[in-house]
């Protein structure tokens, strides 16, 4: 599990907190979904027919986008997440490291 790094000139809004989990949402137990942990991009934008045709250049693969589509999950940050739920989310993420 790795936190997403904000570029030095970036200003995050943190509507949800992004982290990378090897294997994405599928690597976490079902309880994580019920606690509000969500998968992010189901597919790289370059693979969407509506956008793929707009890409220019010799690249045929976008490994960074493929990695994000596979591994990015977002954690809830809203005020209704209880301290106990936050602790449980942290424990679930820590268990993926074991």
């Amino acid at each position: 599990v790795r936190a997403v790094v904000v570029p030095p000139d970036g200003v995050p809004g943190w509507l949800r907190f992004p982290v990378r989990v090897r294997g994405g949402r599928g690597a976490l137990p079902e309880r994580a979904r019920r606690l509000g942990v969500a998968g992010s991009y189901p597919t790289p934008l370059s693979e969407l027919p509506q956008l793929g045709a707009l890409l220019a250049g010799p690249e045929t693969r976008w490994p960074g986008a493929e990695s994000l589509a596979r591994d990015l999950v977002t954690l809830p940050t809203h005020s209704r997440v209880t301290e106990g739920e936050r602790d449980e989310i942290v424990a679930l993420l820590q268990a993926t490291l074991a």
Side-chain angles (χ1 to χ4, degrees), residues 22-95:
R22 187 169 301 215
R25 211 346 247 122
L28 298 170
E30 179 60 24
R31 177 70 180 143
R33 185 189 64 75
R34 290 194 301 276
L35 288 166
V37 177
S40 197
Y41 304 106
T43 185
L45 295 178
S46 60
E47 293 181 14
L48 294 175
Q50 303 89 330
L51 298 177
L54 300 175
L55 298 174
E59 295 86 359
T60 58
R61 293 193 62 235
W62 301 83
E66 293 166 7
S67 172
L68 277 178
R70 182 178 54 250
D71 296 340
L72 189 66
V73 300
T74 61
L75 310 179
T77 60
H78 56 80
S79 61
R80 293 191 169 220
V81 178
T82 67
E83 186 175 340
E85 290 168 333
R86 284 191 302 265
D87 291 345
E88 191 173 354
I89 290 168
V90 169
L92 290 171
L93 293 173
Q94 288 174 329

Side-chain angles (χ1 to χ4, degrees), residues 11-22:
V11 179
W14 302 127
L15 295 175
R16 293 186 58 83
F17 189 76
V19 295
R20 296 179 73 145
V21 174
R22 187 169 301 215

